[in-house]
Amino acid sequence: MAAPDLGALVPDTERLAADLAALAAYRNPDAPGWTREVFTDPYRSERDWVRDRMRDAGLEVRVDAAGNVIGRLAGTSPSAPPLVTGSHTDTVHGGGRFDGVVGVLGGIEVARRLRETGTRLTRDLYVIDFLGEEANTFGISCLGSRAIAGALTGAHLDRRDAGGRRLGDVMAGFGADPDGALRQAWPAGGVHAYLELHIEQGPVLERQGVSLGVVTAIAGIERLLVTFDGRADHAGTTPMTERRDALAAAAQAVLTIERTACAAPVHAVSTTGRIESLPGAFNVVPERARLWAELRSVDAGWLSGVKGALASQIATEAAARGVEAATEWLTDQDPVPTTPSVQDQIAHTADELGIRWTPIPSGAGHDAAHMTPLGPLGMIFIPSRGGRSHVPEEWTDLAQIAIGVHALAATLANLDTAPG
Ligand code: HGY
Ligand code: MN
Ligand code: MN
């Protein structure tokens, strides 16, 4: 079979812009920025739109038990291990227009361009809009990709949110089949390669003036919930030396969590994203406080090793205030190195297309991190303006998105004929 004309696979930029604008219209009008959280109505209607766009692009579309929207473009040898691309279209609260979206719409545009240029791949190409990649109120992200990888468990489905809702019930209410989602894992090693296009969500590519990032590793994430129990007292009459102030202990823990990452000898970040305190009155010393935080690193040893030390430091500091601190680890997502042969394929393809690239680790988590059991995996990054993401200001120029989609299409075409 003749080698594909990679130059011809350049995306239709106007069509891509129209898709980006159409998808961006699906958001919660009462929330800031682009808010399309998992299981919400804007998310539900947006995925119906994605399903229709996949069909318009000539893909056979199905929604699996976990609620993943999966489009298939048949190859000439459907029995060969397939190629897979995709990402997510759910957002954080007050998020932006490009996180995840460029990977889903980019995959659909790749399918259109392959068909329009008559470029028949040997292998089937799957384009997936994974369910619920973002962290949610159940403390478990990447719901759809975990299900495909066989990593979604019954314990996950039994998780409850602050309102007492059970994840499995909420998935069923959204139209998924949660018990079926536990039995739908794709065969281990059954995929020729998984390749995801995503915005960098950081400042590196823009600062280096480079169009493409070849992702070398995806950071692991450890999320924790710490509960502090002190004693409520009158805020006016209780001497400072006799208080058991749960919120003061939590505030100290926030800084301890921050210092833990700052002092790390390897790549590490930490964030306390939420804190709450009870009874929450001006004139009562807080009796109970809770904080939700996360640690991230591409260094697996540091990330797993730091947990014990951090939990005991938080408990010791709280005890010095007469407050009891209990740490619960909510999720563990190990750091995932991408596959060197896929990294090389992306880099080689970018060279062929004359696109400047640089190797880059991902501080953000991605569905790709869960695709490891299925086969070789890679990610392509495109620049984020000012390094901003998870905010309404999130932005990537259309021309940069087009370069990323072109690189995605051409790398998939090259991977198609590359040995397994
Ligand atoms: O949180 C993350 O890293 C990803 O954007 N969901
Ligand atoms: Mn994302
Ligand atoms: Mn995100």
Side-chain angles (χ1 to χ4, degrees):
M1 193 159 80
D5 172 3
L6 301 183
L9 295 176
V10 66
D12 177 327
T13 310
E14 293 313 308
R15 182 167 58 191
L16 206 46
D19 277 359
L20 286 161
L23 197 155
Y26 293 94
R27 62 180 171 169
N28 175 350
D30 304 321
W34 280 264
T35 298
R36 198 172 47 238
E37 290 162 295
V38 68
F39 304 129
T40 61
D41 289 342
Y43 183 62
R44 184 197 302 271
S45 7
E46 172 265 325
R47 299 180 100 235
D48 291 345
W49 178 88
V50 164
R51 191 195 52 212
D52 295 344
R53 283 314 270 161
M54 284 186 177
R55 286 207 179 102
D56 297 346
L59 295 168
E60 289 163 30
V61 184
R62 68 184 178 93
V63 180
D64 70 8
N68 295 304
V69 181
I70 303 173
R72 172 180 173 262
L73 180 68
T76 54
S77 310
S79 58
L83 292 165
V84 183
T85 188
S87 194
H88 64 97
T89 54
D90 59 314
T91 71
V92 295
H93 188 83
R97 283 162 277 185
F98 304 94
D99 175 4
V101 167
V102 299
V104 174
L105 295 184
I108 296 172
E109 180 61 16
V110 166
R112 287 191 285 238
R113 295 301 296 139
L114 288 168
R115 295 185 73 231
E116 289 164 353
T117 56
T119 309
R120 288 297 310 272
L121 297 182
T122 310
R123 305 168 188 281
D124 285 0
L125 170 65
Y126 288 96
V127 181
I128 303 178
D129 179 350
F130 293 103
L131 182 84
E133 185 272 349
E134 296 293 359
N136 52 48
T137 53
F138 299 95
I140 176 81
S141 55
C142 296
L143 295 171
S145 46
R146 286 177 196 262
I148 281 184
L152 189 68
T153 65
H156 289 144
L157 298 183
D158 288 336
R159 282 269 179 93
R160 291 186 183 276
D161 66 6
R165 300 184 309 165
R166 179 178 168 275
L167 173 58
D169 300 339
V170 172
M171 282 179 72
F174 189 68
D177 163 15
D179 295 330
L182 301 180
R183 298 190 300 272
Q184 63 151 58
W186 289 24
V191 164
H192 183 59
Y194 173 80
L195 184 58
E196 180 170 349
L197 173 67
H198 203 285
I199 55 172
E200 178 200 338
Q201 301 180 290
V204 173
L205 296 182
E206 183 183 61
R207 283 191 190 146
Q208 291 188 11
V210 173
S211 300
L212 227 56
V214 178
V215 176
T216 54
I218 302 165
I221 306 177
E222 292 288 354
R223 289 190 171 124
L224 59 155
L225 162 61
V226 189
T227 304
F228 300 84
D229 284 308
R231 188 183 66 199
D233 277 308
H234 193 298
T237 56
T238 309
M240 294 308 288
T241 52
E242 292 175 26
R243 293 169 179 232
R244 295 169 54 195
D245 185 331
L247 184 51
Q252 183 171 4
V254 170
L255 297 179
T256 298
I257 290 166
E258 180 188 53
R259 235 184 348 265
T260 299
C262 295
V266 295
H267 157 272
V269 291
S270 60
T271 313
T272 298
R274 185 173 153 212
I275 195 164
E276 71 175 29
S277 147
L278 294 172
F282 274 117
N283 58 355
V284 181
V285 175
E287 176 181 18
R288 165 167 278 207
R290 293 199 295 175
L291 69 77
W292 287 261
E294 62 166 48
L295 302 162
R296 300 191 187 204
S297 176
V298 293
D299 185 296
W302 180 85
L303 192 59
S304 57
V306 76
K307 290 168 68 177
L310 177 60
S312 62
Q313 187 178 353
I314 290 172
T316 305
E317 290 171 347
R321 296 171 174 273
V323 171
E324 203 180 303
T327 297
E328 182 191 351
W329 294 95
L330 296 175
T331 35
D332 51 358
Q333 209 162 304
D334 293 337
V336 170
T338 56
T339 310
S341 61
V342 181
Q343 291 179 31
D344 293 345
Q345 195 63 261
I346 301 167
H348 161 71
T349 307
D351 290 342
E352 275 189 281
L353 298 177
I355 301 172
R356 286 189 63 214
W357 60 273
T358 186
I360 183 171
S362 172
H366 298 286
D367 288 306
H370 293 278
M371 301 302 276
T372 310
L374 303 189
L377 71 97
M379 285 194 79
I380 298 173
F381 274 176
I382 50 179
S384 291
R385 186 173 63 191
R388 305 291 309 284
S389 181
H390 281 185
V391 292
E393 296 78 7
E394 182 182 278
W395 179 264
T396 298
D397 290 340
L398 182 60
Q400 291 168 325
I401 297 171
I403 290 170
V405 174
H406 192 188
L408 177 67
T411 306
L412 287 167
N414 279 340
L415 283 168
D416 181 47
T417 52

